[in-house]
Amino acid sequence: MTDQKQDVLEPGFIFQRVARQRVKLSDKRLAPYDLTTPQVFMLNWLLRDDGMTQKELAQRLSIGTVAVSSMVDRLEAAGLVSRGADPNDRRAKKVWLKESVKTNSELLAGIAKEINDVSFRNMTEEEIKTLLGLMEKVRSNLATALEADDPTQWLNRQPKRN
């Protein structure tokens, strides 16, 4: 196998390409609604747990609080969310969905299903289940490594050098 073909099979390349292509397809599908994939991720978290703080949203979305604040600004300007003080913490801001998002949640779910249907086309239910199970193991392994206090406790002590 040539080095170029080997590069295509590297997990990092595959994960990056899959993620980018899913986001590009999702953004294309969401464009008529003036929404982006990251905005829909935020709306979906709020559909699960409305009234989260911006800090909680940042943690769930794995992005910075400044990015969350900018995204909330845009969603608030679009009339999709409202923001207000947290009664338990004067410094924190909570974010709530407007009724229009709640009544259109089926649209968001339908678009997500379309993206999944395209992603898993020509795959059996068993293949999909296996793929998702393996991806969850990868995610869990990465989360464990990120939580390690000492990076030397990762599986490989030293990076391989060519």
Side-chain angles (χ1 to χ4, degrees):
M1 188 179 306
T2 68
D3 288 342
Q4 187 176 15
K5 286 185 179 178
Q6 180 61 35
D7 286 348
V8 171
L9 298 177
E10 290 295 324
F13 286 118
I14 293 170
F15 292 152
Q16 179 193 36
R17 285 185 180 129
V18 168
R20 289 183 82 164
Q21 288 173 333
R22 282 181 59 93
V23 167
K24 284 173 80 172
L25 185 59
S26 180
D27 282 343
K28 189 175 186 177
R29 183 64 179 86
L30 291 166
Y33 306 100
D34 293 323
L35 289 170
T36 65
T37 300
Q39 290 172 333
V40 170
F41 285 154
M42 180 181 287
L43 295 174
N44 280 324
W45 277 113
L46 290 168
L47 282 165
R48 291 179 185 178
D49 189 10
D50 201 13
M52 281 196 266
T53 65
Q54 290 183 186
K55 183 178 178 181
E56 290 169 326
L57 284 166
Q59 290 169 339
R60 302 265 173 93
L61 294 167
S62 299
I63 61 175
T65 53
V66 173
V68 166
S69 182
S70 295
M71 199 180 314
V72 172
D73 287 343
R74 288 189 296 278
L75 291 171
E76 197 170 33
L80 300 174
V81 300
S82 62
R83 176 176 17 201
D86 182 343
N88 300 318
D89 182 353
R90 292 185 330 194
R91 298 166 295 161
K93 297 286 185 192
K94 287 196 169 223
V95 181
W96 290 275
L97 292 172
K98 294 281 184 112
E99 195 58 38
S100 61
V101 176
K102 294 175 186 176
T103 58
N104 287 301
S105 64
E106 288 180 20
L107 171 70
L108 299 177
I111 291 172
K113 183 182 180 322
E114 289 174 10
I115 302 302
N116 287 336
D117 289 347
V118 169
S119 298
F120 301 132
R121 186 177 293 150
N122 299 321
M123 295 176 73
T124 66
E125 290 296 321
E126 190 61 32
E127 288 172 325
I128 295 167
K129 185 177 178 181
T130 299
L131 173 64
L132 295 178
L134 292 170
M135 291 296 293
E136 176 53 26
K137 284 183 181 181
V138 170
R139 189 214 55 77
S140 177
N141 291 340
L142 293 170
T144 299
L146 283 168
E147 293 169 3
D149 291 334
D150 181 2
T152 62
Q153 296 191 15
W154 295 0
L155 180 62
N156 298 320
R157 302 255 183 237
Q158 296 292 323
K160 292 182 182 178
R161 305 229 189 265
N162 291 338

